[in-house]
Amino acid sequence: MKGTDHSGTHTDATDNLKEELEKLKERLVKAEKQKDELLLSKLSADRERDEAQDELGKLMDLEVEQYKENLVIKENQERHLNTVKQQNIELQREIQKLQDDLAAKGSEVSQDFWIKRDIPKKKMKFTGMENAGNEETFLNTCCLYHIAAKIPFSLQQRQALLTFEEEDVAQKLIRRGKHTVSLDNGKIDLTAMPVTLETGVKFELHVTISGEEINVSDIPDIQIPDEWIRDKLELNFYKSKQGGGEVKNVSYDRRSHTATITFLRPGVADNFMRCTTHPFCINEKRFMLSVSPSIEKHLEKFQIFSGISKRTLLLSGTHEVEEDEESMQDMIEIHFQKPSNDGGEIESIKYVATGTKLAYFEEDTETVA
């Protein structure tokens, strides 16, 4: 019978316990270490949280301050905008007032340069020929007028105008100023003054009468398309018994009831100038159109001039006298023709006893009406 060795088993159990104990210690050390790391992490997280809360608080405070500043800025901008709007309204009123004043003054200024002169009828005579520069010039009738408007001067009651043949005579008498003229019943003192003229104008008027176009007016207002009216006008003037021809173009304006007809063949336009009206049938109705030449007018070399007449003087200062107008004019003329009175040859003289008369001056010669 064999015996059992219990000491070996006990030893193995003790070793196992020791191993377990060592493992537990290691685990405990690890756990403590993890705990310390967690504590450190928590402390770091708390610190970061506190810093974040502080930063958030600062940002919130900054946002509140920024909001308040924005409110102040917005209020200031609104006040400034209202001020600017008010200033703009006042400026617009002022601009409108200035524009009205400028328009009124411009109208006044423009009226100073308005020209209204009746050009008298004159006989025309042939003076020469020029070679046509191109076909268009040959087809058209071109006229050139040189116009110089006479300058009116208002001669008042008991005033006289004297125009001398020599400029020096008039200027000497003006420099002398006072003159005593002997009359049948006494003497009168006269003052010689220069004649300041109003504004005068000169220009060239160029007139071109087209040999290819005519103007048509009084076109009836019929509710059909414009293209149809153009076609009917073209057909009408193409087949006209007045000497129509092929039409190159029709320019029609419904608003003004007018049209411009351009013919392809030269000379056709002249055929319609013999009569100022032309029949026009449309929609079984007959109308009469007004026909006129196509005329282009423009000004060139327009000049405005003013100044003082060098050979003419104005006499004033006469009081009421017994002599009639013709006698008074004769005595003035006799006095100022004498060289002893610094006078000279008089080209024209006009004395006005009562009322007002107009004297007209031209650029080179001066005449009295």
Side-chain angles (χ1 to χ4, degrees):
M1 178 176 180
K2 295 181 179 179
T4 303
D5 190 359
H6 295 283
S7 61
T9 303
H10 180 71
T11 301
D12 292 338
T14 301
D15 293 336
N16 290 334
L17 288 173
K18 289 180 177 179
E19 290 178 1
E20 290 292 331
L21 183 60
E22 290 296 330
K23 289 180 179 180
L24 289 173
K25 287 181 178 180
E26 291 178 357
R27 292 177 62 186
L28 180 62
V29 170
K30 289 181 179 180
E32 291 292 338
K33 186 176 180 181
Q34 289 179 354
K35 178 182 177 181
D36 293 339
E37 291 176 352
L38 289 173
L39 288 173
L40 291 173
S41 298
K42 181 176 180 299
L43 291 173
S44 177
D46 291 341
R47 185 170 60 254
E48 291 177 356
R49 183 196 63 194
D50 294 339
E51 292 177 354
Q53 287 179 347
D54 293 339
E55 188 69 24
L56 180 60
K58 292 179 180 179
L59 289 174
M60 291 179 67
D61 293 340
L62 182 62
E63 185 177 359
V64 171
E65 293 178 359
Q66 187 68 37
Y67 178 73
K68 292 179 179 179
E69 290 179 0
N70 289 338
L71 283 179
V72 174
I73 293 173
K74 185 177 180 181
E75 292 175 357
N76 292 335
Q77 288 178 342
E78 288 179 352
R79 285 197 297 269
H80 180 67
L81 182 60
N82 291 332
T83 303
V84 171
K85 286 182 179 179
Q86 187 63 32
Q87 290 176 348
N88 284 339
I89 293 174
E90 294 176 358
L91 286 174
Q92 288 177 354
R93 291 175 181 171
E94 186 174 353
I95 290 172
Q96 185 62 43
K97 183 177 180 300
L98 290 174
Q99 287 177 343
D100 294 340
D101 293 342
L102 182 62
K105 292 181 179 179
S107 178
E108 293 176 0
V109 172
S110 63
Q111 288 179 5
D112 293 338
F113 293 97
W114 285 358
I115 304 168
K116 186 176 181 180
R117 299 285 188 273
D118 293 330
I119 301 176
K121 292 183 179 180
K122 292 187 177 181
K123 294 182 179 180
M124 300 293 179
K125 65 178 181 179
F126 175 76
T127 58
M129 296 178 58
E130 292 184 2
N131 294 327
N134 50 50
E135 183 179 356
E136 182 180 358
T137 305
F138 178 75
L139 296 176
N140 299 331
T141 302
C142 302
C143 305
L144 171 61
Y145 301 92
H146 298 274
I147 299 174
K150 293 181 178 180
I151 306 172
F153 181 83
S154 179
L155 191 60
Q156 304 298 321
Q157 182 173 321
R158 292 195 293 274
Q159 287 185 339
L161 277 179
L162 278 75
T163 300
F164 293 89
E165 293 183 359
E166 299 295 333
E167 177 182 320
D168 293 341
V169 175
Q171 296 304 309
K172 185 188 297 183
L173 294 172
I174 291 173
R175 287 193 297 269
R176 181 173 170 180
K178 298 293 184 179
H179 302 272
T180 302
V181 178
S182 298
L183 305 178
D184 293 338
N185 299 320
K187 297 181 179 181
I188 57 171
D189 292 326
L190 302 179
T191 301
M193 299 177 293
V195 178
T196 302
L197 302 177
E198 297 180 2
T199 302
V201 295
K202 293 192 307 181
F203 58 89
E204 290 182 356
L205 176 61
H206 294 254
V207 180
T208 302
I209 303 174
S210 176
E212 297 178 302
E213 293 182 352
I214 60 172
N215 292 327
V216 179
S217 57
D218 299 330
I219 300 174
D221 189 7
I222 301 176
Q223 298 304 315
I224 61 175
D226 291 359
E227 188 64 33
W228 291 10
I229 293 182
R230 281 193 290 268
D231 291 342
K232 290 182 179 297
L233 286 170
E234 179 178 349
L235 183 61
N236 183 276
F237 282 93
Y238 174 66
K239 293 184 176 181
S240 174
K241 295 180 180 179
Q242 295 182 6
E246 188 174 353
V247 175
K248 181 179 180 181
N249 182 59
V250 177
S251 177
Y252 169 64
D253 184 5
R254 180 181 291 272
R255 291 177 298 179
S256 61
H257 308 291
T258 61
T260 300
I261 312 294
T262 305
F263 295 97
L264 188 63
R265 185 168 55 85
V268 176
D270 296 336
N271 298 333
F272 293 95
M273 295 302 99
R274 300 187 183 97
C275 185
T276 58
T277 59
H278 185 76
F280 180 58
C281 297
I282 187 171
N283 290 347
E284 298 181 354
K285 293 183 179 180
R286 178 185 173 91
F287 303 91
M288 295 303 295
L289 306 180
S290 297
V291 181
S292 60
S294 177
I295 302 176
E296 178 186 351
K297 301 180 286 291
H298 69 275
L299 299 181
E300 290 186 6
K301 299 181 180 180
F302 187 88
Q303 297 178 346
I304 300 176
F305 58 90
S306 61
I308 298 175
S309 176
K310 296 295 185 180
R311 296 191 298 118
T312 303
L313 58 83
L314 175 66
L315 291 176
S316 63
T318 63
H319 51 78
E320 189 172 351
V321 293
E322 296 180 359
E323 283 78 3
D324 58 22
E325 185 173 276
E326 185 176 356
S327 298
M328 185 69 178
Q329 180 169 301
D330 290 341
M331 285 183 283
I332 292 175
E333 183 174 7
I334 292 171
H335 176 87
F336 285 96
Q337 275 186 334
K338 293 179 179 180
S340 58
N341 295 326
D342 293 332
E345 290 297 325
I346 296 176
E347 184 177 292
S348 62
I349 179 173
K350 184 62 181 177
Y351 170 73
V352 178
T354 59
T356 302
K357 292 188 177 181
L358 288 178
Y360 290 95
F361 290 81
E362 294 180 345
E363 182 183 10
D364 296 324
T365 60
E366 302 156 342
T367 60
V368 178

